[in-house]
């Protein structure tokens, strides 16, 4: 007796998109009310409001100092722009990139590619989750992306402190060189287009 052979076609489930892709598509589709922004940080979309007056004051002091320092360097400070890394998007309070941002577009023209960003600055906002985001989660994300310098201006670290982080290790998600400088003393950017920039009382004063 001869057995009848037949071909069995395996059933293939629809592939499940990975989390990064799901978050990316959801982020692109968001329509936030004025005064809010959304970022993709460590596997989650985080929505936050624009900063308070003190936050705005510090950012603008930093930007004015950076504009003067970067004159004729081929780089400039920017605000309110998407920095894209793979399927992640961040909106630093200030970032430094080439004068012509068309040199570093991301693939979907939603912002700038992180590879062209020389430095990011975050001014810490009040609230446990906001503080933890800038001190911990964004520190890891920026290090993973290889951003050369990360500056944190933190009113909520004791009487205030500036952190200057450099030498990122993307595999470890850490910065190898970290300096905490209390308010009242001068923090200095160690490398990149803003090398030598002093962040002192001119910026951090109340």
């Amino acid at each position: 007796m001869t057995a009848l052979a037949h071909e069995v076609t395996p059933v293939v489930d629809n592939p499940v998109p990975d989390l990064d892709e799901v978050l990316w598509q959801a982020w692109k589709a968001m329509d936030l009310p004025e005064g809010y922004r959304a970022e993709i940080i460590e596997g989650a979309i985080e929505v936050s409001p624009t900063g308070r007056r003190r936050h705005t004051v510090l950012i603008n002091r930093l930007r004015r100092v950076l504009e003067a320092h970067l004159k004729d360097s081929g780089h400039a400070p920017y605000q309110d722009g998407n920095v894209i890394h793979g399927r992640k998007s961040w909106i630093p309070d200030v970032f430094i990139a080439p004068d012509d941002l068309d040199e570093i577009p991301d693939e979907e023209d939603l912002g700038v590619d992180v590879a062209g960003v020389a430095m990011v600055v975050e001014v810490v906002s009040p609230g446990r989750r906001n503080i933890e985001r800038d001190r911990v989660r964004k520190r890891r994300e920026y290090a993973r992306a290889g951003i050369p310098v990360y500056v944190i201006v933190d009113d909520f670290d004791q009487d205030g402190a500036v952190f200057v982080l450099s030498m990122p290790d993307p595999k470890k998600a850490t910065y190898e060189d970290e300096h905490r400088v209390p308010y009242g003393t001068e923090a200095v950017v160690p490398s990149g287009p803003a090398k030598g920039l002093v962040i002192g009382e001119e910026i951090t004063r109340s």
Side-chain angles (χ1 to χ4, degrees):
M1 185 174 181
T2 304
L4 295 176
H6 63 280
E7 183 177 345
V8 177
T9 303
V11 176
V12 179
D13 293 330
N14 290 329
V16 177
D18 65 24
L19 178 60
D20 284 347
E21 185 63 29
V22 170
L23 291 172
W24 180 251
Q25 297 302 329
W27 174 79
K28 289 196 298 180
M30 293 181 78
D31 184 15
L32 295 175
E34 186 176 351
Y36 286 83
R37 63 184 188 175
E39 301 172 280
I40 304 174
I41 303 172
E42 293 200 326
I45 296 175
E46 297 197 18
V47 177
S48 56
T50 53
R52 299 181 181 183
R53 182 179 64 253
R54 168 71 174 168
H55 190 264
T56 303
V57 166
L58 288 171
I59 291 170
N60 279 282
R61 286 176 184 167
L62 274 163
R63 180 165 179 169
R64 286 195 296 270
V65 169
L66 279 165
E67 284 174 343
H69 188 86
L70 294 170
K71 185 178 180 182
D72 300 324
S73 71
H75 288 76
Y78 297 91
Q79 294 171 254
D80 298 323
N82 295 318
V83 173
I84 307 295
H85 176 52
R87 287 294 186 258
K88 295 184 175 124
S89 173
W90 311 303
I91 306 174
D93 288 324
V94 181
F95 66 91
I96 293 175
D99 284 334
D100 184 0
L101 290 182
D102 288 337
E103 294 178 7
I104 56 167
D106 70 292
E107 290 182 1
E108 298 189 42
D109 201 29
L110 297 171
V112 298
D113 190 283
V114 72
V117 174
M119 186 174 98
V120 291
V121 180
E122 297 287 1
V123 174
V124 178
S125 296
R128 181 188 61 80
R129 186 163 179 80
N130 292 330
I131 291 171
E132 194 263 349
R133 179 183 62 233
D134 291 336
R135 289 180 183 172
V136 180
R137 297 196 305 282
K138 277 197 168 182
R139 179 188 299 214
R140 289 194 295 249
E141 288 282 61
Y142 291 156
R144 286 189 190 104
I147 295 175
V149 179
Y150 178 26
V151 173
I152 306 170
V153 180
D154 192 345
D155 275 353
F156 308 99
D157 183 292
Q158 299 182 29
D159 292 327
V162 176
F163 293 81
V164 181
L165 316 176
S166 60
M167 298 176 61
D169 184 329
K171 291 183 178 179
K172 295 181 180 178
T174 60
Y175 282 91
E176 297 297 321
D177 192 52
E178 301 188 6
H179 295 277
R180 176 189 177 276
V181 181
Y183 283 5
T185 52
E186 295 183 341
V188 181
V189 175
S191 58
K195 181 178 180 179
L197 177 77
V198 173
I199 302 172
E201 286 189 294
E202 178 185 0
I203 292 168
T204 61
R205 70 185 187 278
S206 297

